[in-house]
Amino acid sequence: MLHRLALTGDVKSLYLDVPADSFLALYRERFIPRLSRGEVRRTIEDYYADIVAEDLEDSDLTRPLAHELRARAVEPLALVRRVGLMETKYQELLTGRLREITEDPSFGVALALFLRPEFEAAVWEWLCGNPADSALVERGVVSTLDTDANALQAMGVIALLYGGQRRRFVVVFDEMEKILRDNSPAEQAEGVLAAFKRMLEIFSKTGALLILCGLPDFLEALPDDSRQRISVIIKPDRLRAEDAVRFIQDFNELSTGERTLKPFSTDVAAYLADLSGGNARRLVRLCFYAYADAAGKTVTRAIVREVAREQFELVSQDDLRGDIVRVLNRNGWRFETNITVTTGKSKRKVDYWIPVGDGGCAILLTQSVLQKADATNLAAISLGSEKGQAPSPIKTLLVVNGYLSEEFRPVLERQFDTIVAHSPRTFGDDLDAALQGAVARLEKDASAVSFDTLSAKLDQSVRQNRLLLNRVDHLAERLLGQDALQLAVERGLTSVFSALAGGRAPSSRFPEVDRFFVEVIRQFDTFPRFQELARHTLDDHQLRTLLLLEGMRAAVESFREAAMNLLAADIDATPLVELCRQHDQVAQQFRLLLSPRGLDDLQGVSGRSSKHLDVDRLLDSLMILARRVYDTVEEARHMQDHLR
């Protein structure tokens, strides 16, 4: 579709694979790099040409020039200068027009300045997500495209920019489930979803086409009012053999001009459809690598199976076992490896065994399941009873490190309680959920609670608490680093002695800057501290939230101390700019990591009213702190230079 649209010449189309990060990463790493700086400039020039043409159409003498501008037969800036028209007048009109179109003052000013050569590089740098240059700040461009909400707004503005010139703008976001997930607090933030809804409205209003591709999961993460703005939802059917044949023929015709099935055959195309379970993404991937592996020879079933093993067995057995052990340790389960388990009259060797009561949970590992013999052999070593029979004291879980053919999945599902196929992105969560469900069912089926069962639960609790403490230590190191932790301790001692001495006097040259820091630290004071909750039993979410708050508070105090030292030394602005940039990065990371659930839990433990825990106000203050410090210092320095 995008290929055909590109041939029309009047459509800007972008295909973007979504990074597993955020909308900000999507904008910076995928969206902006696909836009041409020159093309954006020409689009703005078209607005400028229309404005000048509107003014020249009022006179018979200049009407021919207006027609040339409408036909884009002449460069508008060159014409204005050649004829001697007032360039500042049209620049102001352009700024007003772009403000009206983009519905944002910063974008209106920045895009209008894009036509001036001395500002072009600075504006493009700002559009790429960097802080605004001082020349732009002086003219009112104060925001930075450094949040998910701002990134979504910027993509909407580009759509408005093209739509205002009656150019069609088509964007495809593929694998949306990487960003929009039910279990991702950052993407569920109200501001981000509101910005996403606004972007949908803009695309609809401008006649742009936004195509969201992905697993059904991402739709569940959207609120109802956002889903209602998606005009058409297309759920693809499973691909059949004839679909695979047609896809291969279409692709060959597009790439070579010959509509042929070679080097595939009808039988292999049908096998690809069956092996992929009708999944288009899998089928395309298998076709691509099978074609490359054949190297000009005919593609056979054996080649397809070999490719499936190579492409889907992504981790080594050692790495897979490491992932499994991490999940088991995280839950505090006692487990054994490579042991023989007896059930009834049969004995089977299992890779992992979690004892629960009189039975337990067995984990078996296997590579790709591509042939009937693979499925038959696995079914023969299952320990569980077939579904529909009497409950077994043993639950069996099959971990597939590779490709599982949909043709054989039903056979295995009758023999194993749960099947988990390895996925680099979700394997840990998938395995964790499957094991917790199996263990919970075994504990529920136990007829009585024995001393051994209670002892096992106590041991599990002790192991989980020990692991939790280790995780808190690791989290602290990741957020702050060893040097910063040591500095925080030293700063804490310094603050104690400063308090005994009557407090630290702010810099006499910039007392208002110190007040900015005091305001933020006072907002942190409304949240509970470690000392306050030391006697409470805290879960993982509460400890994590407390650590984040303490870490961010320490970062603000470090920022304050470093900034005041720099200002007292009266050195150039370069170190202060770097310091402000570092604070913005830390504050953004804090904003992404902070969990609403953890804050709610802290509120319950501390007993503080929700009206006192104003997290939105705290986040807003943190995000603008560096800008307030820098602007105040620059303004004071300009004033001092003027007085000199």
Side-chain angles (χ1 to χ4, degrees):
M1 180 189 74
L2 295 181
H3 176 73
R4 295 190 183 97
L5 288 174
L7 297 177
T8 65
D10 198 34
V11 177
K12 178 63 179 177
S13 59
L14 301 175
Y15 170 84
L16 310 173
D17 60 309
V18 174
D21 193 357
S22 61
F23 284 111
L24 179 61
L26 170 63
Y27 175 76
R28 286 179 171 176
E29 299 171 13
R30 304 289 196 272
F31 186 84
I32 276 291
R34 292 291 306 280
L35 289 178
S36 164
R37 176 170 165 177
E39 186 177 0
V40 173
R41 191 180 192 280
R42 286 191 296 274
T43 304
I44 299 172
E45 279 185 346
D46 290 343
Y47 283 98
Y48 190 79
D50 290 340
I51 290 171
V52 177
E54 290 169 6
D55 191 44
L56 298 182
E57 284 173 339
D58 294 336
S59 169
D60 293 337
L61 183 63
T62 57
R63 192 169 293 119
L65 296 177
H67 292 330
E68 290 185 18
L69 289 169
R70 294 288 191 189
R72 308 296 186 248
V74 62
E75 187 177 334
L77 283 169
L79 185 144
V80 167
R81 291 166 183 168
R82 187 179 75 240
V83 178
L85 301 174
M86 294 181 61
E87 189 172 340
T88 55
K89 167 189 172 182
Y90 296 119
Q91 185 72 30
E92 291 175 0
L93 290 173
L94 176 64
T95 302
R97 178 72 58 85
L98 292 175
R99 277 178 175 172
E100 179 182 348
I101 291 171
T102 62
E103 302 177 359
D104 183 274
S106 291
F107 277 103
V109 172
L111 293 176
L113 291 173
F114 202 24
L115 292 189
R116 297 173 61 177
E118 66 270 27
F119 293 108
E120 182 178 343
V123 173
W124 186 251
E125 179 186 41
W126 178 75
L127 283 174
C128 289
N130 297 295
D133 185 85
S134 58
L136 298 182
V137 173
E138 292 174 359
R139 288 159 177 79
V141 182
V142 295
S143 61
T144 302
L145 306 180
D146 56 0
T147 66
D148 281 352
N150 288 345
L152 287 165
Q153 180 190 17
M155 288 187 278
V157 165
I158 297 298
L160 286 168
L161 199 64
Y162 279 88
Q165 285 298 314
R166 298 177 179 83
R167 290 192 62 190
R168 298 300 302 272
F169 191 58
V170 179
V171 182
V172 179
F173 291 160
D174 198 5
E175 297 186 289
M176 281 293 294
E177 71 277 2
K178 291 181 180 178
I179 293 183
L180 292 174
R181 299 185 297 270
D182 279 337
N183 62 347
S184 180
E187 278 73 32
Q188 288 178 351
E190 183 178 349
V192 174
L193 291 177
F196 184 76
K197 181 176 72 174
R198 175 60 180 153
M199 186 184 72
L200 294 178
E201 294 173 351
I202 290 173
F203 270 76
S204 176
K205 183 174 70 174
T206 59
L209 177 61
L210 176 63
I211 302 174
L212 307 175
C213 303
L215 299 176
D217 300 359
F218 87 84
L219 286 175
E220 299 301 322
L222 291 174
D224 292 338
D225 54 352
S226 293
R227 283 199 296 268
Q228 292 170 2
R229 284 168 172 78
I230 299 176
S231 56
V232 179
I233 297 178
I234 301 174
K235 298 181 179 180
D237 296 329
R238 293 165 64 95
L239 296 180
R240 297 166 297 179
E242 52 267 34
D243 297 319
V245 169
R246 185 167 59 253
F247 165 74
I248 296 170
Q249 291 174 338
D250 288 345
F251 189 85
N252 279 334
E253 184 178 16
L254 181 64
S255 57
T256 67
E258 182 181 1
R259 188 170 183 80
T260 178
L261 193 58
K262 294 180 180 180
F264 298 87
S265 64
T266 304
D267 175 69
V268 171
Y271 182 58
L272 285 165
D274 290 338
L275 193 62
S276 64
N279 182 284
R281 193 186 302 274
R282 292 179 185 173
L283 187 141
V284 171
R285 186 174 177 182
L286 288 172
C287 283
F288 176 82
Y289 287 106
Y291 179 87
D293 197 63
K297 298 179 293 185
T298 301
V299 177
T300 63
R301 286 189 174 216
I303 289 177
V304 172
R305 285 194 296 269
E306 183 62 27
V307 163
R309 292 188 184 97
E310 291 176 355
Q311 296 302 318
F312 291 92
E313 294 176 7
L314 299 177
V315 297
S316 67
Q317 284 295 93
D318 289 341
D319 290 338
L320 178 66
R321 290 179 180 274
D323 291 340
I324 294 173
V325 168
R326 276 189 287 275
V327 172
L328 296 173
N329 285 333
R330 187 167 67 218
N331 286 278
W333 288 313
R334 183 168 60 88
F335 65 92
E336 301 174 67
T337 60
N338 298 320
I339 70 164
T340 300
V341 177
T342 302
T343 173
K345 297 181 180 180
S346 62
K347 294 182 178 181
R348 298 285 185 268
K349 188 173 182 179
V350 301
D351 295 284
Y352 294 91
W353 173 253
I354 306 172
V356 181
D358 296 331
C361 181
I363 303 175
L364 291 90
L365 310 184
T366 186
Q367 300 294 101
S368 298
V369 182
L370 301 171
Q371 302 181 82
K372 185 177 181 179
D374 299 330
T376 302
N377 292 336
L378 286 171
I381 65 172
S382 171
L383 290 167
S385 58
E386 284 203 18
K387 295 178 181 178
Q389 298 181 9
S392 168
I394 295 176
K395 300 296 181 185
T396 55
L397 188 146
L398 180 66
V399 173
V400 181
N401 179 24
Y403 195 91
L404 174 58
S405 172
E406 293 298 319
E407 179 183 358
F408 306 119
R409 181 182 284 273
V411 176
L412 298 177
E413 286 179 341
R414 288 196 296 269
Q415 297 295 330
F416 293 89
D417 294 282
T418 308
I419 300 174
V420 178
H422 185 274
S423 168
R425 187 166 55 89
T426 64
F427 176 70
D429 293 337
D430 295 342
L431 181 64
D432 186 87
L435 287 174
Q436 289 200 33
V439 172
R441 287 193 295 273
L442 287 169
E443 292 174 344
K444 183 179 179 181
D445 291 340
S447 57
V449 178
S450 64
F451 175 78
D452 290 340
T453 304
L454 291 175
S455 177
K457 293 294 291 182
L458 180 60
D459 288 343
Q460 179 185 351
S461 178
V462 170
R463 285 191 294 270
Q464 283 181 301
N465 286 334
R466 187 182 299 118
L467 180 65
L468 181 59
L469 291 175
N470 291 335
R471 290 174 63 192
V472 169
D473 291 340
H474 290 318
L475 181 60
E477 292 177 10
R478 187 170 76 249
L479 287 175
L480 301 176
Q482 292 287 358
D483 294 339
L485 284 171
Q486 183 178 355
L487 178 62
V489 174
E490 295 172 356
R491 185 170 56 253
L493 294 172
T494 303
S495 64
V496 170
F497 289 112
S498 297
L500 292 174
R504 175 182 58 184
S507 170
S508 58
R509 298 179 63 243
F510 299 99
E512 61 276 24
V513 171
D514 198 69
R515 284 198 294 270
F516 295 152
F517 290 104
V518 172
E519 290 175 9
V520 176
I521 293 172
R522 283 176 179 169
Q523 292 178 40
F524 274 108
D525 289 338
T526 63
F527 291 83
R529 304 291 303 273
F530 264 123
Q531 301 91 325
E532 180 183 342
L533 301 180
R535 296 183 179 180
H536 292 269
T537 301
L538 304 177
D539 62 22
D540 192 9
H541 289 281
Q542 294 163 348
L543 278 173
R544 183 176 186 273
T545 303
L546 264 181
L547 184 60
L548 283 169
L549 289 169
E550 292 288 342
M552 192 64 232
R553 181 190 182 106
V556 170
E557 291 176 348
S558 296
F559 182 23
R560 177 191 191 187
E561 184 174 343
M564 301 311 290
N565 288 338
L566 287 175
L567 296 177
D570 195 22
I571 60 178
D572 63 81
T574 303
L576 182 62
V577 171
E578 181 59 29
L579 195 63
C580 290
R581 182 179 293 112
Q582 290 179 359
H583 167 80
D584 285 340
Q585 293 173 353
V586 173
Q588 176 65 19
Q589 189 68 16
F590 171 74
R591 184 174 189 171
L592 292 174
L593 290 173
L594 197 61
S595 165
R597 173 184 169 184
L599 286 170
D600 292 341
D601 291 347
L602 276 186
Q603 176 187 333
V605 174
S606 65
R608 301 197 183 194
S609 170
S610 59
K611 67 180 180 180
H612 295 139
L613 302 182
D614 193 346
V615 66
D616 291 334
R617 182 186 173 205
L618 174 64
L619 291 174
D620 290 342
S621 299
L622 287 172
M623 298 308 296
I624 65 172
L625 176 60
R627 175 58 60 189
R628 294 177 72 187
V629 169
Y630 179 80
D631 288 348
T632 301
V633 172
E634 284 300 295
E635 183 179 350
R637 282 175 170 166
H638 284 315
M639 182 65 69
Q640 291 172 1
D641 292 342
H642 179 71
L643 292 176
R644 289 171 186 169

